[in-house]
Amino acid sequence: MVEIAGHLYPEAPKNRKRRRTIYPRTTPVGYLLAERLAARLQQASAEQAAGTNPLGLIFPSPTGKHWRSSNFNRNVLKPAYLAAGWRDAGGNGEWTWHSLRHVFCTTALFTWNLDATDVSRMAGHASYRITLDMSVRHHRRRPGPRPHRHPINVCSEGQAFPVHPL
């Protein structure tokens, strides 16, 4: 979705290219991601049938519609940044939403030693070269502790992120 002059319009993802990605059935810390996502899909279908989530979205706004960027940032990202210690109360900090991609890719490549082609598919990159270029460049230029050395916070029970299981 893209917001233009206060109206939301459906728009294809980056570069107008649809991507599919994969995710583990169980995360490295034991979170049953595929099971929780399957349960959420069923719940979203039931919500759609009941009219409380008319579009059947996996992560609807409180009104059952698409999130507007400003509302998502204020109601979801800001509290998550604070909880994770990525921002202070004033909104200042070096970590961003996009940092999650870098943290994931560098962790998968350099800590879990996953194959670059698998990491590329999980990240939704067009090729493994993009993954390697972005991750190695990010890994080398960061001063101080590397992102993949930071502890990974687990989502609270019932939360998952929609992609396709391995």
Side-chain angles (χ1 to χ4, degrees), residues 1-10 68:
M1 299 302 290
V2 64
E3 186 173 358
I4 300 172
H7 296 282
L8 293 176
Y9 298 96
R68 292 182 180 274

Side-chain angles (χ1 to χ4, degrees), residues 83-164:
W86 286 15
R87 293 271 194 280
D88 62 22
N92 303 307
E94 71 175 276
W95 293 93
T96 66
W97 172 253
H98 198 75
S99 296
L100 292 173
R101 292 176 60 80
H102 295 289
V103 169
F104 170 76
C105 289
T106 56
T107 300
L109 290 169
F110 303 117
T111 300
W112 302 333
N113 297 316
L114 296 182
D115 183 79
T117 55
D118 292 335
V119 175
S120 176
R121 282 188 298 224
M122 287 187 273
H125 292 152
S127 86
Y128 74 93
R129 290 180 182 205
I130 293 169
T131 305
L132 288 174
D133 179 54
M134 180 273 304
S135 298
V136 170
R137 186 171 13 113
H138 182 73
H139 182 73
R140 287 185 179 157
R141 78 167 186 253
R142 281 199 61 77
R146 301 288 187 217
H148 68 279
R149 299 285 187 230
H150 290 245
I152 297 173
N153 292 322
V154 181
C155 294
S156 63
E157 189 65 24
Q159 294 178 350
F161 297 97
V163 281
H164 304 282

Side-chain angles (χ1 to χ4, degrees), residues 73-74 76-93 95 153:
N73 288 335
R74 182 176 51 255
V76 178
L77 282 182
K78 185 177 179 181
Y81 284 149
L82 287 170
W86 286 15
R87 293 271 194 280
D88 62 22
N92 303 307
W95 293 93
N153 292 322

